[in-house]
Amino acid sequence: MTLSYLCSLPLPDSWFAELSERMPQVAVHRMTPDSPPPAEVLATVDLLHTSEWLPASDDVPALRLVQLDTSGVDHVRGTTLWESGVPIATLGGIAPVPMAEYALMSILELAHRMPLIERHRAERTWPSNAERLASLTPRQLAGSTVGIVGYGRIGREISRLASTFGMHVLGVSRSGARGAAVGPGAEKFDTGRQAAADDPAELFPIDRLDEVLRRSDFLVVVVPLTELTRGLIGPAQLDLLPHGAFVVNIARGGIVDEHALVERLRDGRIAGVALDVFDEEPLGADSPWWTEPGALITPHVAGLAPQYHAQTLDLVVENLTRLAENRPLLNEVDRAAGY
């Protein structure tokens, strides 16, 4: 059986050459968003590999899978492809290691007062011994607790790294279950290094989030953006954190209330924040976050994966193979759950 594959992404020629070598039975088509393929090609496509380019479902009548180049699906909701019921698979599982490393980097920098240290650097001031002891003594990680909201492949990898520093891990997911999932999306692509069975974290369902917040010296938010999670961490939830807690958001803008967060950062209830995502992106030049003391700011880079090309190719080859064999797909989106 010959499958038709269409890609709208600017991947290198070598990537497509290897795809053709590994899947010689697949007809490979390439395009750019500015020059979509002719209707006769669209009509034959089995797998569409794309990010933002999303044709009308009527234009791709043979489509059997949308393979996204993103982990999130918020940009697909409301489209005719979403409404069509054609399976959608995400890029999830490519970035657990770099995202976990980013989370631990942020925890370490916050614990070691890097926002304040960077402020001294910018002002070219050398703090006195008394000032260093008072404001730059690090927070001890061993024995502290990190709460991870959105606990899956990335959460398990954060847990693995945090545990090596002697931190206790609390993980929050929709069900709080440690066992294997069933249904759409049950089979996952995963480049993380810790299996669920080896994870020492204490797990909680989402309806026990308040309990986790009360215990979290560090809060890491990595949950997908859905109708359930939009506004999940608001003023009331931030006020449940222990005084002087730290917040790291590597999920999506819209999950953490930025206004409430900056208020609590300024009054000292939150000791520091690391933000890689924002309500509005790109972050405007006039945003107060650029100069906010106590904040580490990065431009949505936590999920950049050093092995992106090789891992993406493995995922696409696997899902093409599964399509050909009519087997369950990797990373299929559960539309009811929203991710």
Side-chain angles (χ1 to χ4, degrees):
M1 175 182 180
T2 299
L3 294 176
S4 177
Y5 162 91
L6 172 63
C7 183
S8 71
L9 305 170
L11 296 166
D13 292 344
S14 58
W15 193 95
F16 293 101
E18 186 172 349
L19 173 62
S20 294
E21 182 178 340
R22 292 172 64 175
M23 302 290 292
Q25 73 276 30
V26 172
V28 176
H29 303 281
R30 302 167 64 177
M31 58 161 283
T32 66
D34 295 331
S35 57
E40 56 268 27
V41 171
L42 280 178
T44 68
V45 171
D46 294 288
L47 189 154
L48 171 63
H49 188 189
T50 187
S51 177
E52 303 294 331
W53 188 78
L54 301 167
S57 59
D58 289 345
D59 293 338
V60 281
L63 191 65
R64 298 170 60 195
L65 175 64
V66 178
Q67 175 63 65
L68 293 175
D69 194 56
T70 61
S71 295
V73 297
D74 36 292
H75 63 297
V76 188
R77 294 191 197 99
T79 66
T80 57
L81 284 179
W82 182 269
E83 301 300 330
S84 72
V86 171
I88 298 171
T90 72
L91 195 67
I94 296 290
V97 170
M99 289 194 76
E101 290 173 351
Y102 179 100
L104 261 293
M105 173 192 73
S106 299
I107 288 171
L108 285 165
E109 289 200 17
L110 291 173
H112 284 264
R113 317 296 183 180
M114 285 306 297
L116 293 177
I117 291 172
E118 284 297 318
R119 189 175 180 187
H120 281 294
R121 180 186 180 188
E123 297 172 353
R124 301 190 180 195
T125 58
W126 191 275
S128 68
N129 287 343
E131 288 173 327
R132 291 203 298 266
L133 287 171
S135 62
L136 300 182
T137 298
R139 177 76 64 88
Q140 180 171 302
L141 294 187
S144 65
T145 296
V146 55
I148 303 171
V149 180
Y151 200 80
R153 290 162 287 187
I154 299 167
R156 285 199 303 272
E157 187 65 16
I158 296 172
S159 173
R160 185 182 73 83
L161 297 180
S163 297
T164 65
F165 286 89
M167 303 180 79
H168 182 64
V169 180
L170 311 178
V172 180
S173 66
R174 190 167 45 143
S175 68
R178 196 181 299 275
V182 295
E187 294 193 61
K188 303 289 188 183
F189 186 77
D190 190 0
T191 59
R193 300 169 183 171
Q194 178 162 262
D198 301 324
D199 186 1
E202 191 177 348
L203 302 186
F204 297 81
I206 191 67
D207 58 10
R208 293 178 64 188
L209 173 61
D210 287 1
E211 180 181 343
V212 171
L213 294 172
R214 291 188 181 96
R215 296 172 56 187
S216 297
D217 304 300
F218 295 84
L219 178 68
V220 178
V221 182
V222 70
V223 70
L225 177 62
T226 67
E227 290 307 309
L228 175 66
T229 63
R230 188 177 296 277
L232 182 67
I233 309 296
Q237 289 72 37
L238 291 170
D239 286 343
L240 292 176
L241 292 168
H243 187 87
F246 298 94
V247 176
V248 177
N249 186 5
I250 55 175
R252 285 290 189 272
I255 296 171
V256 179
D257 186 320
E258 289 185 12
H259 181 70
L261 185 63
V262 76
E263 281 186 341
R264 284 147 184 79
L265 181 61
R266 289 172 179 174
D267 69 20
R269 281 179 282 172
I270 300 295
V273 303
L275 301 177
D276 187 53
V277 294
F278 300 89
D279 292 345
E280 295 185 11
E281 295 182 12
L283 191 64
D286 59 348
S287 171
W289 282 119
W290 291 113
T291 55
E292 187 64 39
L296 297 168
I297 302 301
T298 55
H300 206 139
V301 297
L304 299 182
Q307 297 299 315
Y308 162 80
H309 285 137
Q311 292 168 348
T312 302
L313 183 61
D314 287 342
L315 175 58
V316 168
V317 166
E318 181 63 24
N319 269 340
L320 281 167
T321 302
R322 288 170 179 244
L323 273 184
E325 298 173 355
N326 292 309
R327 291 191 288 124
L329 302 164
L330 285 180
N331 289 355
E332 183 179 346
V333 173
D334 181 342
R335 281 172 166 83
Y339 61 91

